[in-house]
Amino acid sequence: MVVSQLSDAEADRIFHSLADATRRDIVVQVMRQEQSVSSLARRYDMSFAAVQKHVAVLERATLVVKERRGREQVVHGNPEVLRKAARLLDAYEQIWRHRVSSIEEILSEEEKCQ
């Protein structure tokens, strides 16, 4: 299934990165407002290096973009990638809605036959 040119490898990276609660929270934070890695690290009960690793996973999935500004590394979200992931989930939802509709039709036909 191709949804907005999202490859299987891209989908794997995106959903793998979103499987972790800390990474999901980082995405929420940087979608609201760009932040430095050090300001993100202050939010969590873990080392700076651990937060950097979470950001790196999100960066590989292209959910966030990190750029150097002077001595700071600033992270901001990439809403287009989230939209692609949402479209993929919407496509799966449509498949399931179609299946439910087909089951309802079968059951309706069986009731008519009885």
Side-chain angles (χ1 to χ4, degrees), residues 22-23 26 36-58 66 75:
T22 300
R23 289 193 290 264
I26 290 171
S36 68
V37 176
S38 56
S39 68
L40 284 170
R42 287 190 291 272
R43 296 182 56 83
Y44 306 103
D45 188 24
M46 62 182 72
S47 69
F48 178 83
V51 173
Q52 276 186 308
K53 287 179 182 179
H54 281 301
V55 170
V57 170
L58 292 167
K66 185 172 64 175
V75 182

Side-chain angles (χ1 to χ4, degrees), residues 10-99:
E10 289 171 312
D12 288 347
R13 281 191 299 273
I14 290 167
F15 290 108
H16 171 266
S17 66
L18 293 173
D20 180 84
T22 300
R23 289 193 290 264
R24 288 191 304 272
D25 189 62
I26 290 171
V27 169
V28 168
Q29 297 309 314
V30 300
M31 286 293 183
R32 288 182 179 150
Q33 178 179 354
E34 66 181 28
Q35 296 187 40
S36 68
V37 176
S38 56
S39 68
L40 284 170
R42 287 190 291 272
R43 296 182 56 83
Y44 306 103
D45 188 24
M46 62 182 72
S47 69
F48 178 83
V51 173
Q52 276 186 308
K53 287 179 182 179
H54 281 301
V55 170
V57 170
L58 292 167
E59 194 174 22
R60 280 192 297 277
T62 67
L63 285 163
V64 302
V65 176
K66 185 172 64 175
E67 62 182 81
R68 184 165 290 284
R69 290 191 191 153
R71 292 179 47 166
E72 286 190 317
Q73 293 183 18
V74 178
V75 182
H76 56 90
N78 185 350
E80 180 54 33
V81 174
L82 280 179
R83 281 192 284 274
K84 286 180 180 182
R87 285 192 293 265
L88 178 60
L89 292 174
D90 288 342
Y92 286 130
E93 180 183 5
Q94 290 305 313
I95 291 168
W96 280 102
R97 287 186 181 276
H98 177 72
R99 289 187 70 183

